[in-house]
Amino acid sequence: MAGKQDYDLVIIGSGPGGYVAAVRAAQLGLKTACVEKAPRLGGVCLNEGCIPSKALLDSSEYYHLALHQLADHGVKTGKVSLDLKTMMARKEKVVEELTGNVRKLLESHKVTIIEGTAAIAEPGAVAVKPNKGKKQTLSTRHILLATGSAPVTPPGLDFDGERIVNSTDALRFDAVPKHLGIVGGGYIGLELGSVWLRLGAKVTVIEMLPKIGTGLDGQVSRTLDRILRKQGFDMRLGTRVKSAKASAKGVSVTVEKDEKSEDLTFDRLLVSVGRRPLTRDLGLEELDVKTDDKTGHIIVDAAYQTSVSGIYAIGDLVPGPMLAHKASAEGIAAVEGIAGRHGEVNYDAIPSVIYTWPEVAGVGLTEEQVKARDLPYCVGTYPFTGAGRARCMGETDGFVKLIAHGKTDRVLGVHIIGPRAADMIAECVLAMEFGAASEDIARTVHGHPTFAEALQEAAMAVRKCSIYAS
């Protein structure tokens, strides 16, 4: 190994955590390298997750609108047909363009991009096996791990890529399944289920818990369940998979609810029950980097440093929601700390979004969490049926729910199910970041007619609660 440091920072992984951290590190004057084993930059999010799934969600929504709703607006389309091959090609083009942009972004900031598989040889040294060429060792002052996560494989539900599939496989079907089974009622399963339902599949969701969207506000979860059932989802809640057997024709699944078994048959079975941190073969055990025995997460301190000095970890590798924007925020905070600045992430103000239609978005505490903490609180809700813009669009399902502290009026959480919820939540995140009260939102002038007026109305509804009661 060279006597001097080749780099100030070597980042392993180029997803939303890794590439954002690399850019910020370069901006702060750190000589930075980013190692990525995949042929394209961007990690799971850009290549196999957030971006391709949203591309298909948008395309399938256009198809569904053409089939069922455009006529209501006076738009006559004639016979509508599906060209799945073109839809998939468009998705790939979107991914290719965005991953290409990530490469240009890193190159413009003089970040060294190394294509290969990396592991920590020792503190201050990263061993790289390039996709092409000879092995090399990178000498560095700091190492940042940002390798992301992979789908969990439950016992007896091993992926075969054809019949029993993971979320990546479900983005690449070459035909619309007649009947798609989904194990898991979380955001990934519901989003991919929405894609294939719109394109003509029958979709059955098998969820072990009594509700979908674990972690959602209860009122929002119940509303989403009702709307998705109305769209055609077959929801099997409180149900677990006992066994699954794939054949050339499909997948035979035995499920159990209330000690009663039932046999189901699907063309394909999507298993989406969570994700696990990708820590294997990074050299963590050899260096005694501490991890959580139950979850596999790497344990870090407030500066995202692991139990070994000079080695850091962010994103899906560390505790917290597995969200791309959470990883990006942590990447920035970690490298700012490395550069001698103050970096911090406010975990109370991280939004989450489910891109079904209507969309679901939330930030802060749910009503159930507020009750569990025994906090005095007031709730204001407003339905999209009362929003002029929603009426014009013909999308009136859902509501905005704002929870404020009963004594201080500070916003504790906002939960939205409805059109454009993914974009509306940004105002709520900003409000919570600045410690706003519901009155602040209520008194803020919102454009008319907009979906955001429903948020203002919900904030006004909070005022009807006795927030100044002793």
Side-chain angles (χ1 to χ4, degrees):
M1 188 172 68
K4 63 178 182 179
Q5 305 293 333
D6 294 328
Y7 294 98
D8 296 309
L9 174 65
V10 171
I11 300 171
I12 303 177
S14 69
Y19 85 77
V20 170
V23 171
R24 183 59 180 144
Q27 290 173 339
L28 294 173
L30 301 179
K31 185 180 180 183
T32 305
C34 185
V35 185
E36 173 57 60
K37 65 180 181 180
R40 293 192 298 204
L41 302 179
V44 170
C45 176
L46 269 69
N47 288 281
E48 302 170 357
C50 317
I51 299 304
S53 64
K54 300 322 168 276
L56 287 183
L57 279 161
D58 287 337
S59 294
S60 63
E61 181 65 17
Y62 284 128
Y63 177 71
H64 183 268
L65 287 171
L67 274 180
H68 303 290
Q69 290 178 259
L70 289 185
D72 294 339
H73 294 268
V75 180
K76 296 183 178 181
T77 58
K79 185 178 180 180
V80 177
S81 60
L82 173 66
D83 183 348
L84 185 60
K85 186 176 180 180
T86 297
M87 186 179 290
M88 289 294 181
R90 177 188 176 276
K91 179 253 299 181
E92 285 301 312
K93 184 180 179 182
V94 170
V95 171
E96 185 177 347
E97 289 174 346
L98 286 174
T99 54
N101 286 346
V102 170
R103 180 173 289 275
K104 291 176 183 176
L105 181 66
L106 294 185
E107 290 175 343
S108 68
H109 284 83
K110 303 297 188 293
V111 173
T112 301
I113 301 169
I114 301 173
E115 299 176 3
T117 302
I120 305 172
E122 61 183 9
V126 175
V128 180
K129 182 181 178 182
N131 295 343
K132 296 179 182 179
K134 298 180 180 180
K135 294 181 180 179
Q136 58 180 304
T137 298
L138 308 178
S139 179
T140 178
R141 292 171 54 210
H142 307 279
I143 300 168
L144 177 63
L145 303 175
T147 50
S149 61
V152 169
T153 308
L157 292 173
D158 294 332
F159 304 126
D160 60 24
E162 180 62 30
R163 293 298 178 184
I164 301 179
V165 302
N166 59 32
S167 56
T168 301
D169 301 322
L171 293 167
R172 299 170 180 166
F173 290 162
D174 57 3
V176 178
K178 290 182 180 179
H179 193 177
L180 174 65
I182 300 175
V183 182
Y187 73 95
I188 295 175
L190 297 179
E191 288 180 2
L192 291 174
S194 293
V195 168
W196 296 108
L197 181 80
R198 294 168 189 167
L199 299 181
K202 178 181 178 181
V203 175
T204 297
V205 174
I206 305 164
E207 171 55 58
M208 186 171 63
L209 297 176
K211 74 171 191 174
I212 59 172
T214 304
L216 290 179
D217 181 89
Q219 186 179 359
V220 171
S221 176
R222 292 189 295 272
T223 303
L224 179 62
D225 184 293
R226 175 181 57 78
I227 292 173
L228 293 182
R229 287 177 190 267
K230 186 177 178 182
Q231 291 176 3
F233 275 81
D234 176 17
M235 298 290 188
R236 305 293 187 95
L237 305 182
T239 304
R240 71 180 185 89
V241 175
K242 291 180 64 179
S243 64
K245 185 176 181 180
S247 67
K249 294 183 178 180
V251 187
S252 299
V253 180
T254 300
V255 299
E256 182 181 68
K257 180 177 182 179
D258 299 329
E259 298 184 354
K260 294 181 180 179
S261 295
E262 181 180 358
D263 295 325
L264 304 172
T265 302
F266 306 105
D267 296 274
R268 298 180 191 258
L269 183 68
L270 165 61
V271 180
S272 179
V273 295
R275 299 180 67 84
R276 59 176 177 81
L278 276 173
T279 57
R280 189 179 303 170
D281 300 326
L282 287 175
L284 303 185
E285 292 182 2
E286 292 80 355
L287 294 169
D288 197 27
V289 173
K290 293 189 177 355
T291 59
D292 187 301
D293 293 335
K294 292 183 179 179
T295 66
H297 287 117
I298 297 173
I299 298 172
V300 295
D301 62 17
Y304 304 98
Q305 187 166 228
T306 69
S307 57
V308 177
S309 180
I311 301 175
Y312 302 76
I314 59 168
D316 292 359
L317 294 179
V318 302
M322 290 185 170
L323 299 169
H325 45 280
K326 177 251 195 187
S328 297
E330 289 175 339
I332 292 172
V335 297
E336 287 181 341
I338 289 170
R341 300 194 177 197
H342 177 68
E344 185 179 8
V345 177
N346 180 3
Y347 289 97
D348 291 331
I350 294 181
S352 61
V353 182
I354 303 177
Y355 293 89
T356 50
W357 194 263
E359 295 173 337
V360 178
V363 63
L365 300 177
T366 64
E367 187 169 0
E368 291 74 19
Q369 290 171 329
V370 171
K371 287 180 178 178
R373 297 186 186 190
D374 199 27
L375 296 174
Y377 72 97
C378 294
V379 173
T381 61
Y382 193 79
F384 281 104
T385 51
R389 186 71 179 90
R391 287 281 183 183
C392 293
M393 191 175 176
E395 298 288 353
T396 55
D397 280 333
F399 58 87
V400 177
K401 178 176 183 177
L402 192 151
I403 305 170
H405 194 282
K407 299 285 182 66
T408 67
D409 194 32
R410 182 169 179 166
V411 177
L412 299 175
V414 184
H415 308 280
I416 308 171
I417 177 169
R420 311 285 169 80
D423 299 306
M424 286 178 61
I425 202 66
E427 178 183 350
C428 310
V429 176
L430 185 65
M432 290 195 64
E433 190 69 42
F434 278 84
S438 73
E439 184 179 3
D440 295 322
I441 296 176
R443 292 185 180 277
T444 298
V445 178
H446 290 66
H448 175 78
T450 60
F451 293 105
E453 285 179 291
L455 172 63
Q456 184 182 19
E457 292 288 350
M460 288 179 175
V462 172
R463 309 300 300 158
K464 297 178 183 178
C465 177
S466 301
I467 61 173
Y468 298 116
S470 58

